[in-house]
Amino acid sequence: MERKDFETWLDNISVTFLSLTDLQKNETLDHLISLSGAVQLRHLSNNLETLLKRDFLKLLPLELSFYLLKWLDPQTLLTCCLVSKQWNKVISACTEVWQTACKNLGWQIDDSVQDALHWKKVYLKAILRMKQLEDHEAFETSSLIGHSARVYALYYKDGLLCTGSDDLSAKLWDVSTGQCVYGIQTHTCAAVKFDEQKLVTGSFDNTVACWEWSSGARTQHFRGHTGAVFSVDYNDELDILVSGSADFTVKVWALSAGTCLNTLTGHTEWVTKVVLQKCKVKSLLHSPGDYILLSADKYEIKIWPIGREINCKCLKTLSVSEDRSICLQPRLHFDGKYIVCSSALGLYQWDFASYDILRVIKTPEIANLALLGFGDVFALLFDNRYLYIMDLRTESLISRWPLPEYRKSKRGSSFLAGEVSWLNGLDGHNDTGLVFATSMPDHSIHLVLWKEHG
């Protein structure tokens, strides 16, 4: 057939084909396919692939593409990034998808950062760190050597670790370098707390002392307890120091003058922990900004007001069993909103506004886990063999790290958590430095540290 005649025939066929119903069109195509040879079928196959396979990410408006991407899991999205440069560009630019993926991993999100590529990079960093945790490869260990007798007291702050020993000395260590920054002669230390200028120590000699780092001089001596002082805390703004003792009392002192302002009674066991903290919630008994004192013994946690009046009375007593059949572990978390303590029954979390128990977290697979740190997302726990990380959203243990045969302490003074901001959510920057420290039978300090990102 001549070209002109063919074009005329094709036009006539096209007009007729367009006038058919869908069913008739399908039957016509079926008939034509049945009459076609290999060359025609190959031609048809090649053209259909182009017509049917549409790149929807390229064709759709960006907002619709982002909406569809939200339904895919992060691992699938990473695979889709390999399809083409265009897909990688669109998927990487979907900020909300990667922010959500990071949140689901327990990472903190700064909404002010709008750089789209930033959040995909953060997610890739997050997934690597979480895999390291799951594979027990996120930490490394180190030791501090310098004391010649039992190390009984530890306190950590801003990259510095203070250790108090039976060798009548206290040392301040730079955790990152392992170097001793200060070393001063003291009494036997059962508890320590420090800042840039001073060190406060509670002792087995029944006294509390304040020392100057630069000179090593004792600047204040607090006498009055009739038993060993197991815990101390202080606040320069209030000019107050508090101490808990084996004589079952808590004493409130004027920090600068060294005089005893009040003796708080009511405990029937050794007071192993005292905490001074600002209240962050309102209730009938306190307001945000009020200073609160918590004291704990083997069975009870007592709450005292501090600041409005020195001669204060106990606001509330918390316990996990009325008959004292269950002991509290000698660790206490109080951030102004919640009180958390561990026991043989599990982790107890109280709401500070109402004093009600919010939840009890039980770990039936592992008994008697002790509390080291508690945040919005993670908790740091340990037993005689391992250090554990718990995801508080699922109440499941997501990682563990083996511990050596460390020195056991019924009062909980010979082990502590290091940096704790990551417990409120990792952010790619706060998973550095000290995780855990404990004293060892050979008088050294065993450190567990975050390993640098791979």
Side-chain angles (χ1 to χ4, degrees):
M1 183 181 296
E2 294 293 333
R3 180 67 188 177
K4 185 177 181 180
D5 295 337
F6 171 74
E7 289 178 355
T8 302
W9 174 82
L10 188 60
D11 288 340
N12 292 333
I13 289 294
S14 300
V15 172
T16 305
F17 184 79
L18 291 174
S19 67
L20 300 176
T21 65
D22 286 338
L23 181 60
Q24 291 171 334
K25 287 179 181 178
N26 290 343
E27 289 181 5
T28 302
L29 290 173
D30 288 341
H31 182 68
L32 290 174
I33 290 172
S34 67
L35 297 176
S36 300
V39 175
Q40 288 74 45
L41 291 175
R42 189 181 305 112
H43 175 79
L44 186 62
S45 175
N46 291 338
N47 282 276
L48 281 175
E49 184 176 4
T50 304
L51 291 170
L52 295 178
K53 292 186 177 180
R54 300 293 182 94
D55 189 340
F56 65 92
L57 279 186
K58 186 176 181 180
L59 297 173
L60 283 175
L62 202 57
E63 294 78 8
L64 284 178
S65 295
F66 286 169
Y67 176 78
L68 292 174
L69 292 173
K70 293 176 187 177
W71 296 94
L72 299 179
D73 64 271
Q75 196 57 49
T76 302
L77 288 172
L78 289 176
T79 303
C80 290
C81 286
L82 303 176
V83 171
S84 67
K85 290 183 179 180
Q86 178 65 24
W87 278 43
N88 183 49
K89 182 179 179 181
V90 172
I91 294 171
S92 299
C94 191
T95 301
E96 186 177 347
V97 165
W98 298 113
Q99 284 185 338
T100 301
C102 291
K103 288 178 182 178
N104 291 339
L105 287 176
W107 281 56
Q108 297 182 53
I109 298 301
D110 182 359
D111 292 323
S112 65
V113 179
Q114 293 300 315
D115 179 11
L117 290 177
H118 167 80
W119 291 111
K120 182 185 173 185
K121 293 176 182 177
V122 169
Y123 174 76
L124 293 173
K125 193 174 185 179
I127 202 72
L128 172 61
R129 181 58 95 191
M130 297 309 293
K131 188 176 189 311
Q132 288 176 338
L133 286 171
E134 292 171 5
D135 295 342
H136 320 304
E137 296 176 350
F139 305 135
E140 57 190 5
T141 60
S142 181
S143 295
L144 302 176
I145 300 173
H147 284 291
S148 58
R150 176 182 63 173
V151 177
Y152 221 89
L154 302 174
Y155 185 81
Y156 177 82
K157 179 183 178 183
D158 298 335
L160 299 173
L161 178 68
C162 181
T163 56
S165 170
D166 280 352
D167 62 10
L168 304 183
S169 77
K171 296 182 184 296
L172 190 65
W173 308 83
D174 184 326
V175 171
S176 63
T177 64
Q179 298 299 309
C180 181
V181 180
Y182 287 114
I184 61 175
Q185 294 299 305
T186 61
H187 47 188
T188 57
C189 296
V192 293
K193 184 177 180 180
F194 71 91
D195 56 40
E196 292 79 4
Q197 287 77 40
K198 64 181 176 294
L199 166 69
V200 174
T201 58
S203 176
F204 292 104
D205 67 9
N206 305 346
T207 70
V208 179
C210 185
W211 314 80
E212 187 178 66
W213 280 121
S214 58
S215 66
R218 186 176 67 193
T219 58
Q220 203 59 262
H221 207 189
F222 305 84
R223 300 175 182 269
H225 281 296
T226 58
V229 179
F230 290 143
S231 183
V232 294
D233 201 356
Y234 64 86
N235 183 280
D236 288 310
E237 180 184 344
L238 296 176
D239 191 33
I240 280 179
L241 180 145
V242 293
S243 55
S245 170
D247 63 10
F248 304 168
T249 70
V250 176
K251 287 187 179 292
V252 182
W253 312 81
L255 180 59
S256 57
T259 55
C260 183
L261 302 174
N262 200 5
T263 299
L264 309 179
T265 60
H267 285 284
T268 56
E269 297 285 342
W270 291 358
V271 181
T272 56
K273 190 67 177 177
V274 289
V275 178
L276 269 176
Q277 177 66 269
K278 263 188 179 181
C279 175
K280 297 179 181 178
V281 292
K282 182 175 179 57
S283 78
L284 294 175
L285 301 177
H286 42 69
S287 301
D290 290 347
Y291 277 94
I292 300 293
L293 166 63
L294 264 63
S295 58
D297 62 31
K298 189 177 180 180
Y299 299 107
E300 295 177 336
I301 301 169
K302 291 187 177 293
I303 302 168
W304 315 81
I306 294 289
R308 291 182 177 176
E309 54 178 292
I310 296 300
N311 297 315
C312 56
K313 295 183 179 180
C314 181
L315 296 174
K316 186 72 174 178
T317 298
L318 307 176
S319 64
V320 298
S321 62
E322 295 182 0
D323 60 356
R324 296 196 165 197
S325 59
I326 303 297
C327 296
L328 299 175
Q329 298 280 1
R331 304 294 301 176
L332 186 65
H333 168 84
F334 177 50
D335 60 4
K337 297 185 293 184
Y338 306 107
I339 300 171
V340 185
C341 193
S342 58
S343 73
L345 296 178
L347 286 177
Y348 277 75
Q349 182 182 17
W350 287 271
D351 175 42
F352 194 60
S354 63
Y355 302 130
D356 292 335
I357 295 176
L358 290 180
R359 60 174 169 172
V360 180
I361 303 174
K362 298 187 177 183
T363 53
E365 67 276 16
I366 303 172
N368 295 321
L369 283 181
L371 176 70
L372 285 167
F374 192 93
D376 297 333
V377 180
F378 301 112
L380 187 64
L381 312 165
F382 77 115
D383 60 14
N384 291 336
R385 299 177 59 202
Y386 293 100
L387 187 67
Y388 299 93
I389 296 177
M390 174 182 284
D391 189 328
L392 292 172
R393 298 166 300 175
T394 59
E395 299 183 1
S396 60
L397 300 175
I398 62 171
S399 183
R400 72 178 187 182
W401 183 262
L403 295 176
E405 289 291 329
Y406 59 87
R407 184 185 294 281
K408 307 301 188 292
S409 168
K410 293 182 179 179
R411 301 180 298 100
S413 62
S414 60
F415 41 79
L416 52 68
E419 301 290 345
V420 294
S421 63
W422 64 272
L423 296 174
N424 292 321
L426 294 160
D427 63 9
H429 304 288
N430 58 10
D431 51 343
T432 59
L434 184 66
V435 179
F436 173 78
T438 184
S439 60
M440 301 295 291
D442 63 0
H443 318 318
S444 67
I445 311 300
H446 178 77
L447 306 179
V448 177
L449 307 131
W450 283 103
K451 188 183 293 184
E452 289 189 12
H453 280 278

